[in-house]
């Protein structure tokens, strides 16, 4: 169980006991090579996150302390060197037991309104909640089922960072020492290359197409839009940095400056 404490100045903080912390962080690839000092700050970031955000279960799901730590630790790794402010302005994390199917009205080019029901693993709303399928949360930690680099929590919280300056378009607010042109060039070149590689894979005969898609350095979903490319590249940055840096070194370099972390160097120490 969490200990609920009253911090100095009356703010509520949460204390995660060591056993729960170990259990809640053991599955995640991004923990590899994290130093003791970094891990202590990650835990403190996680505790502040839990004190500030409200978790709700959908479809009768009880969101246990362990589930909250599992999700919060992954959210916390993104802002470890950025600060809690990056997650300000919204308050709720909604967890579904498995993929959820929101009903959406979509207007097509002919002006006809369609009702869509596409199953989703996660969603991040501008100024609103983060919504997650817990079954998909676990996929990032399941050694047997793990698709390396797939991490729905990192994905949705990367969208949240991107949304600090409006829509999730792959262009989050950059730090003052980061030239905008460098970011744009690195991402535009990588995105164009990746879209071309996905399209080339999809043109192959069906029997070979899937293997070609699986061999790509990023989840093919990154080709959906520059916003999705940033979110998927963020998953890879923390989970499979060797794949991202190997394929798109300039993007890795920009992300290292943006997140102020170097997961590839951590991996070398692990
Ligand atoms: Zn997305």
């Amino acid at each position: 169980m969490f200990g609920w404490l009253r911090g100095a100045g009356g703010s509520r903080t949460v204390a995660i006991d060591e056993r729960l912390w170990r259990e809640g962080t053991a599955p995640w690839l991004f923990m590899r090579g994290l130093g003791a000092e970094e891990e202590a700050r990650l835990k403190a970031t996680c505790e502040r996150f839990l004190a500030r955000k409200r978790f709700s279960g959908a479809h009768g799901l009880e969101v246990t302390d362990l589930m909250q730590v599992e999700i919060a630790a992954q959210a916390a790794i993104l802002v470890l060197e950025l600060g809690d402010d990056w997650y300000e302005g919204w308050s709720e994390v909604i967890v579904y037991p498995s993929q959820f199917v929101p009903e959406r009205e979509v207007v097509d080019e002919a002006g006809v309104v369609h009702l869509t029901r596409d199953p989703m693993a996660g969603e991040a709303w501008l100024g609103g909640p983060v919504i997650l399928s817990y079954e998909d949360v676990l996929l990032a930690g399941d050694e047997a089922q793990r698709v390396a680099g797939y991490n729905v929590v990192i994905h949705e919280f990367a969208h949240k960072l991107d949304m600090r300056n409006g829509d999730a378009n792959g262009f989050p607010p950059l730090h003052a020492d980061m030239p905008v042109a460098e970011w744009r060039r690195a991402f535009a070149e990588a995105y164009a290359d990746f879209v071309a590689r996905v399209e080339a894979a999809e043109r192959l005969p069906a029997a070979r197409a899937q293997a070609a898609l699986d061999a790509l350095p990023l989840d093919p979903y990154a080709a959906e839009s520059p916003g999705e490319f940033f979110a998927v590249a963020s998953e890879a940055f923390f989970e499979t940095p060797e794949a991202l840096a190997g394929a798109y070194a300039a993007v890795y370099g920009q992300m290292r400056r943006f997140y102020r972390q170097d997961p590839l160097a951590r991996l070398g120490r692990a």
Side-chain angles (χ1 to χ4, degrees):
M1 283 292 288
F2 296 144
W4 289 92
L5 310 170
R6 195 154 290 280
S11 62
R12 199 168 64 153
T13 60
V14 170
I16 303 167
D17 74 46
E18 276 307 318
R19 212 191 56 186
L20 181 61
W21 175 250
R22 279 198 304 278
E23 201 181 339
T25 53
W28 315 128
L29 288 175
F30 65 80
M31 294 296 291
R32 294 172 297 173
L34 213 63
E37 181 273 337
E38 283 172 314
E39 187 173 341
R41 282 192 296 111
L42 184 72
K43 183 165 181 271
T45 304
C46 195
E47 289 170 338
R48 293 191 302 273
F49 181 92
L50 289 170
R52 287 171 191 190
K53 304 300 182 202
R54 186 176 65 254
F55 281 77
S56 338
H59 292 176
L61 180 72
E62 188 206 340
V63 188
T64 64
D65 287 356
L66 176 61
M67 292 159 76
Q68 292 185 43
V69 172
E70 287 171 339
I71 292 167
Q74 298 180 77
I77 191 68
L78 275 73
V79 296
L80 182 63
E81 307 296 345
L82 299 180
D84 301 348
D85 295 357
W86 284 75
Y87 289 149
E88 264 180 8
W90 58 278
S91 58
E92 195 177 16
V93 179
I94 301 170
V95 188
Y96 281 80
S98 55
Q99 296 206 344
F100 47 99
V101 189
E103 288 195 350
R104 292 281 150 73
E105 284 191 348
V106 180
V107 184
D108 70 15
E109 283 167 12
V112 179
V113 179
H114 299 272
L115 197 61
T116 66
R117 296 187 185 86
D118 296 323
M120 303 189 76
E123 240 188 337
W125 289 62
L126 184 63
V130 169
I131 309 171
L132 298 164
S133 146
Y134 188 63
E135 213 170 77
D136 286 79
V137 169
L138 289 181
L139 274 185
D142 183 329
E143 275 188 57
Q145 295 190 60
R146 176 151 58 206
V147 180
Y150 178 84
N151 185 307
V152 69
V153 181
I154 290 178
H155 183 103
E156 299 307 334
F157 281 88
H159 280 322
K160 274 295 190 189
L161 301 180
D162 192 350
M163 288 171 177
R164 292 295 296 173
N165 56 0
D167 288 335
N169 57 4
F171 186 70
L174 302 181
H175 309 306
D177 64 347
M178 294 181 67
V180 169
E182 281 182 24
W183 178 278
R184 286 199 192 283
R185 191 180 329 116
F187 277 86
E189 285 175 4
Y191 181 66
D193 176 76
F194 191 72
V195 169
R197 290 172 72 171
V198 169
E199 286 173 354
E202 286 172 342
R203 279 195 300 269
L204 292 170
R208 284 164 56 209
Q210 192 56 50
L213 290 170
D214 290 345
L216 292 171
L218 298 174
D219 185 328
Y221 189 62
E224 284 284 311
S225 68
E228 294 307 335
F229 187 86
F230 171 71
V232 172
S234 293
E235 297 174 62
F237 179 77
F238 288 103
E239 299 269 285
T240 51
E242 68 288 2
L244 179 64
Y248 300 117
V251 165
Y252 183 85
Q254 290 296 309
M255 289 192 135
R256 186 163 46 86
R257 291 176 72 178
F258 175 69
Y259 285 112
R260 294 177 170 150
Q261 298 184 50
D262 191 351
L264 192 59
R266 282 206 294 259
L267 206 57
R269 290 195 297 270

